[in-house]
Amino acid sequence: ADGGKVILCSHLGKPKGEPKPELSLAPVAKRLTELLGQEVKFAADANVVGDNAKAAVAAMNDGDVILLENTRYRAEETKNGEAFSKELASLADVFVNDAFGTAHRAHCSNVGVTEFVKGDCVVGYLMQKEIDFLGNAVNNPERPFVAILGGAKVSSKISVIENLLDKVDTLIIGGGMAYTFMAAHGEEVGKSLLEEDYEEYALKMEKKAEEKGVKLLIPVDTVVADDFSNDANFKVVGRGEIPADMEGLDVGPKTAELFADAIKGAKTVVWNGPMGCFEMPNFAKGTIAVAQAMADLEGATTIIGGGDSAAACNQLGFGDKMTHISTGGGASLEFLEGKDLPGVVAADDK
Ligand code: AMP
C-alpha cells in the first residue's frame, strides 16, 4: 500500500537441488493472488535467481508483489552457500524472515541472505507471534505450568524433557515414549515401542524430577492390540500387565483421567506429541482426552508444538480451542529444548 515492492521466496518439499515441476511454486502464486486480491506475479526460473527472475524483479512497479521459484531448486540453499545467499540478497534492500517452520535450519534464504542484504533484516509477524507465545510459555510461564510430551520416541525428545524439567510444575509423558519409562522399571512392555538404550536416561529423568519437585506422570494403564492396525483386537491392561505378544497403542482410560486431572487448573500448558496412535480411531482416545482437558481450561495459555500434535489437534476438532498452534514442528521442539534458532538469531543480528 505504501509503494514497496515485495519479493516473496519460500521452499516446497525436497527437490534436492533440481527443478521438479511438481514442486514448482507457480500454483502458490495463483493462490496468493486470490488471497491478496492483487496479482502476485510468478518469476519462473529454474535457477531461482537467474536472468528471468532478475529481469522480472527489475521490471516491478511500486506496490507489485512477485514470488520466486522454489528456493530448494538450488542445491546451495540447504547448505547455506554464499553465492546463492548473495544472489537472493542482491534483489532486495530489506529482508523480512517469517519462516518459523524453517527457523531451526541455517539455509541461504533465511540465514545466509542476512549477511548480504544492505538494509535491515527483521522477523515478520508470524515469527514474532511464535517467539512471543513459545518464549513466554517456557521462560516466563504463568503457573501451574504443565507440559505434555508424547509421540514415538524418547530419543527425539531427550533435550526437551531435560530442559522442561527445569521449568514445569508437572510433566506428563504418554505415547510410544512411555514404554521406555515402564521398561526401565523392569515392566513387560510386549511388542510396544521401546528404546532400551534410553532406559537408564528415563530413570535419570525421574530422579531429576523428584529432586526438582516436578510431578512426572507416566501411564497407569494401556490400550494393547494384537496388531498395528485399527482393525486389531484390543483391550485395556493395567501397568505392568502388557502381554508379551501385544503392543501398546494408546494410554488407557484411567491414565486419560489422571492426565486430564493434572491439566485441570493449569495456567500454562505446552503439548508436543500424541498420547497414542491417534491416526487410528480406536487408539485416539488418550489424545482426545488430553486435547479436551486443554480445551476446557479457562484463562489459561494453551500451546501446541507443531507437527503431529498440531495435526492431531486439528484432525480431532480442537484447533480453534487452543491459544496457539505452532506452525513449526522441528522449530518449536528446538525452542522447547532451550536452543537458539539460527533463523531468529540471524534476523535479530541486524
Ligand atoms: P513424534 O513424531 O515423535 O511426535 O511421533 C508421532 C507419532 O507417534 C504419531 O504418528 C503416532 O501415531 C505415534 N505414536 C504415538 N503413540 C504410539 C504408540 N503407543 N505406539 C506407536 N506409535 C505411537
Side-chain angles (χ1 to χ4, degrees):
D2 295 330
K5 298 172 187 170
V6 179
I7 305 159
L8 302 169
C9 72
S10 184
H11 73 260
L12 175 67
K14 293 183 177 167
K16 303 213 166 124
E18 273 174 48
K20 297 224 168 73
E22 69 277 16
L23 294 176
S24 168
L25 290 192
V28 177
K30 275 199 190 133
R31 180 65 181 137
L32 281 174
T33 297
E34 289 167 16
L35 292 170
L36 265 183
Q38 169 184 346
E39 189 190 4
V40 174
K41 288 191 191 132
F42 181 62
D45 195 322
N47 274 323
V48 189
V49 191
D51 290 342
N52 281 352
K54 283 184 199 155
V57 169
M60 286 173 84
N61 294 313
D62 287 355
D64 277 359
V65 183
I66 202 166
L67 174 66
L68 303 182
E69 183 53 282
N70 192 340
T71 53
R72 288 192 184 170
Y73 274 18
R74 293 281 293 265
E76 309 101 293
E77 161 70 335
T78 53
K79 300 187 182 96
N80 200 17
E82 188 173 310
F84 185 45
S85 300
K86 277 186 178 160
E87 286 172 40
L88 285 166
S90 72
L91 297 176
D93 302 316
V94 171
F95 175 67
V96 181
N97 180 4
D98 220 3
F100 183 72
T102 323
H104 58 312
R105 307 269 182 239
H107 292 172
C108 294
S109 63
N110 69 331
V111 171
V113 67
T114 62
E115 279 182 48
F116 304 107
V117 167
K118 292 186 285 300
D120 288 338
C121 294
V122 297
V123 297
Y125 294 123
L126 173 68
M127 277 280 237
Q128 188 65 56
K129 192 171 160 221
E130 294 274 10
I131 295 164
D132 282 350
F133 275 113
L134 289 165
N136 267 335
V138 176
N139 301 317
N140 192 18
E142 212 186 325
R143 295 186 182 277
F145 176 17
V146 178
I148 307 152
L149 295 177
K153 290 181 172 175
V154 177
S155 54
S156 63
K157 296 195 181 156
I158 284 181
S159 314
V160 183
I161 299 176
E162 204 143 7
N163 187 41
L164 287 179
L165 277 177
D166 288 329
K167 321 224 176 221
V168 298
D169 300 296
T170 302
L171 180 63
I172 293 175
I173 297 206
M177 61 198 278
Y179 307 111
T180 299
F181 282 79
M182 294 177 194
H185 289 281
E187 292 165 27
E188 171 71 57
V189 296
K191 293 179 171 169
S192 311
L193 279 179
L194 172 64
E195 291 175 286
E196 282 175 35
D197 293 352
Y198 287 92
E199 287 179 26
E200 212 165 291
Y201 170 82
L203 293 177
K204 213 172 103 195
M205 287 305 104
E206 288 187 342
K207 193 155 168 265
K208 179 170 177 180
E210 206 180 311
E211 284 163 9
K212 296 247 162 204
V214 171
K215 207 198 281 177
L216 191 147
L217 299 175
I218 69 168
V220 292
D221 59 352
T222 300
V223 181
V224 293
D226 62 0
D227 192 15
F228 190 79
S229 151
N230 194 50
D231 302 325
N233 297 305
F234 62 93
K235 62 179 179 181
V236 176
V237 298
R239 186 155 169 193
E241 293 170 356
I242 298 177
D245 59 348
M246 296 184 95
E247 61 187 307
L249 293 185
D250 193 8
V251 298
K254 284 198 184 117
T255 304
E257 215 177 300
L258 175 76
F259 289 179
D261 276 347
I263 293 167
K264 243 178 237 161
K267 284 285 175 216
T268 306
V269 186
V270 173
W271 178 22
N272 188 299
M275 296 293 98
C277 296
F278 74 96
E279 297 94 337
M280 300 186 247
N282 282 337
F283 309 108
K285 289 194 187 81
T287 303
I288 292 174
V290 163
Q292 185 68 58
M294 285 176 74
D296 287 345
L297 289 174
E298 278 172 28
T301 304
T302 48
I303 295 174
I304 314 293
D308 280 307
S309 350
C313 211
N314 288 323
Q315 191 182 314
L316 300 170
F318 293 96
D320 59 349
K321 304 277 192 329
M322 305 298 170
T323 314
H324 179 67
I325 300 187
S326 176
T327 55
S332 70
L333 213 53
E334 291 203 11
F335 208 109
L336 298 178
E337 289 173 0
K339 285 191 191 154
D340 286 330
L341 305 182
V344 177
V345 173
D348 277 356
D349 277 352
K350 275 196 184 174

